Amino acid sequence: MRNGHAEEIAKLIEPGRVHRRVYTDPDLFELEMERIFGRAWLFVGHTSQVPNPGDFITTDLGRQPVIMVRHRDGSVQVLLNRCTHRGAKVLNERRGHAPRLTCCYHGWTFDTDGRLINVPVPEGCAEGFDKDAFGLAHAPRVGEYRGFVFASLAAKGQSFEDHIGPVKGNIDDLVDRAPDGALALDAGMHRYVYNGNWKLQVENVLDSYHVPFGHASTVNKDGVQFARREGDQKGAKVVETEKKQTAVSWKDRKSFIAGNGHGWTSNTSLDDGKRSSPAFDAYKKVLAEKVGAARADDILTPRLHNSLIYPNMSIMGLNIHVRVIKPIAVDRTEVTIYPIRLVGAPDAMNFGNIRLLNVTHSAASFVQTDDLESFVRAQKGLQSTMTDWVDISRGLGAEEPDRERNATRELATHEMVVRAQYKAWLGYMHEAA
């Protein structure tokens, strides 16, 4: 597998099943770092995280450390976090403010657009030393849509517009909920690491099949999950307790794919006519004042539960947040959860959203702990060599076109979305970066 021959890789993906090696083979993981995370459009951050010139965050795209920083002209720069002198990371803090970027090792200083502006003891440099040739490297390609910043480490490939196009509406759905039409990812974060492959989390984002079982502890004796949105009087009906089976309303939920590995699920069936609380009612009033009552009702009509922007981020429409997935090793993954603040919404509404996110998606929450346990058990189970294949065949052949959304749909308890992810995975892995 070290040479990454396309024919050998192709044998790992079949209609309705994938080989266990896609989760367990370290050599295959190395190829993913090169061919997916070294070339795909990856989520970097949100412009609200760097509101002022000199504000920065640091992160990793695959294994490449990067800086996202606001320059003096207002532009957002994505720079490789590696000093061009001796290779040290220039910035080590996860976030901060620095009008100049100075390397701690030998004091080389860079402007926030990456230009090298100062070299201490310059008389030691070689004759003809050209500072312009030693600026910080830029991510070869950067794209932004409504504040969401993405970058590709490859100079060529699918355009950002073609990549993000199928899920622009999913981003719009979230941003439009803010009375001022803007989001802020400035309310802290949850970060956790689990001992499992990164694709387990990516698959789980759009997996509605597991909820009645994997999250059984969140469902009450009437088969209803706890309320997960500000203003909800109760949560979704998940189980028909009298029949001891998955609720019909849950089974009728839909999932969608639209190319590039992206996908989403329709929102949970909730009684929106009864959604009310002092915080939610104040928020709805502010939103209606900004966009009109009819538009506010349309914006607040549930459509999307989870959206996956392949390969490394998702947006949840229920407990609103952004989730970023970072592979560390074939059996180790880091996940960061960013609460979303709706700019212009009352403070009480934003506080309620964040409080509920603590309950659902922190590392010690009611929901997320269940998923992490499943990921770890899956990684351990996949060490078994007695069965080579992982089944993802639910609903195979039942896909149908959705012309209104320019997508393909199927029941959310089927596995069409997972098959679509592996179609994209195979496309990246077939071609060397």
Side-chain angles (χ1 to χ4, degrees):
M1 187 60 69
R2 290 186 179 278
N3 295 326
H5 293 304
E7 297 81 4
E8 187 178 356
I9 293 174
K11 292 178 181 177
L12 302 176
I13 310 296
E14 293 186 0
R17 64 181 193 172
V18 298
H19 199 280
R20 54 179 287 277
R21 287 174 61 192
V22 304
Y23 304 97
T24 62
D25 188 330
D27 291 337
L28 200 61
F29 178 82
E30 294 301 318
L31 287 175
E32 290 177 332
M33 292 300 96
E34 173 191 335
R35 298 182 181 182
I36 300 178
F37 288 85
R39 187 169 77 249
W41 285 99
L42 304 176
F43 177 71
V44 182
H46 193 270
T47 54
S48 64
Q49 295 174 282
V50 290
N52 303 306
D55 290 347
F56 69 84
I57 64 168
T58 62
T59 187
D60 297 294
L61 301 183
R63 292 201 177 107
Q64 306 295 315
V66 299
I67 303 165
M68 188 177 86
V69 59
R70 179 82 66 171
H71 189 45
R72 286 187 304 278
D73 63 4
S75 64
V76 173
Q77 307 280 323
V78 180
L79 309 171
L80 275 295
N81 192 3
R82 176 200 182 280
C83 182
T84 47
H85 175 221
R86 298 274 286 276
K89 287 178 68 175
V90 178
L91 296 177
N92 201 47
E93 300 83 0
R94 290 192 182 272
R95 60 178 299 177
H97 177 85
R100 298 290 185 271
L101 314 179
T102 301
C103 178
C104 71
Y105 198 5
H106 298 96
W108 282 35
T109 300
F110 304 85
D111 204 346
T112 48
D113 63 355
R115 291 183 303 111
L116 177 61
I117 55 177
N118 184 55
V119 175
V121 198
E123 57 269 28
C125 296
E127 186 177 351
F129 176 78
D130 181 7
K131 286 197 298 184
D132 291 341
F134 283 85
L136 297 178
H138 287 72
R141 296 184 294 160
V142 177
E144 177 195 335
Y145 183 69
R146 299 199 74 175
F148 290 83
V149 178
F150 296 78
S152 170
L153 296 173
K156 297 179 180 179
Q158 183 185 48
S159 70
F160 175 68
E161 184 65 28
D162 288 343
H163 174 77
I164 204 66
V167 285
K168 275 187 173 181
N170 303 53
I171 295 175
D172 293 336
D173 180 84
L174 181 63
V175 180
D176 289 347
R177 300 186 201 184
D180 290 351
L183 306 179
L185 273 64
D186 60 0
M189 68 180 71
H190 295 290
R191 177 174 283 118
Y192 52 84
V193 174
Y194 67 86
N195 292 327
N197 190 268
W198 65 278
K199 296 184 290 298
L200 295 169
Q201 173 70 93
V202 172
E203 294 168 12
N204 177 262
V205 166
L206 302 181
D207 183 332
S208 294
Y209 185 33
H210 78 282
V211 175
F213 317 103
H215 299 305
S217 64
T218 70
V219 178
N220 67 19
K221 60 182 177 60
D222 296 319
V224 176
Q225 198 176 56
F226 66 90
R228 293 171 58 180
R229 298 185 307 175
E230 178 64 42
D232 276 341
Q233 306 309 304
K234 62 179 182 179
K237 182 78 169 178
V238 177
V239 177
E240 303 283 358
T241 52
E242 62 278 5
K243 297 180 181 178
K244 296 183 179 180
Q245 64 184 29
T246 303
V248 173
S249 60
W250 189 265
K251 290 190 290 187
D252 284 345
R253 295 175 69 230
K254 299 293 192 297
S255 60
F256 302 83
I257 57 173
N260 300 339
H262 310 323
W264 63 93
T265 55
S266 61
N267 213 328
T268 309
S269 179
L270 296 166
D271 191 353
D272 280 282
K274 296 180 180 178
R275 188 181 182 191
S276 179
S277 71
F280 177 76
D281 294 344
Y283 159 64
K284 187 173 181 178
K285 182 175 183 292
V286 171
L287 183 64
E289 289 171 352
K290 289 292 181 76
V291 302
R295 175 60 179 149
D297 285 342
D298 180 61
I299 287 171
L300 295 175
T301 299
R303 279 180 287 269
L304 303 175
H305 180 73
N306 260 337
S307 298
L308 174 72
I309 302 179
Y310 192 81
N312 80 321
M313 69 93 75
S314 74
I315 296 170
M316 178 176 254
L318 188 65
N319 300 115
I320 54 174
H321 68 267
V322 169
R323 182 187 336 229
V324 185
I325 300 118
K326 186 177 79 172
I328 298 174
V330 69
D331 58 356
R332 194 163 176 81
T333 304
E334 179 186 278
V335 179
T336 304
I337 302 284
Y338 292 100
I340 290 171
R341 184 170 62 85
L342 302 172
V343 179
D347 290 343
M349 179 66 178
N350 283 318
F351 176 81
N353 287 336
I354 294 167
R355 179 183 62 81
L356 282 167
L357 185 61
N358 291 340
V359 172
T360 59
H361 283 81
S362 69
S365 64
F366 292 147
V367 175
Q368 197 63 63
T369 46
D370 296 334
D371 290 333
L372 298 184
E373 180 67 18
S374 295
F375 302 160
V376 171
R377 291 193 191 190
Q379 195 69 31
K380 290 179 178 178
L382 288 164
Q383 303 307 309
S384 169
T385 58
M386 295 298 100
T387 304
D388 279 338
W389 293 95
V390 172
D391 182 79
I392 54 170
S393 67
R394 288 179 57 82
L396 183 63
E399 303 88 349
E400 57 185 11
D402 189 312
R403 293 179 176 83
E404 179 185 353
R405 297 174 177 83
N406 194 27
T408 301
R409 68 170 179 254
E410 197 176 70
L411 292 178
T413 53
H414 290 175
E415 291 162 336
M416 173 188 69
V417 290
V418 179
R419 295 190 292 273
Q421 291 166 20
Y422 279 105
K423 180 180 179 181
W425 182 90
L426 198 57
Y428 283 114
M429 296 291 282
H430 265 174
E431 183 181 349

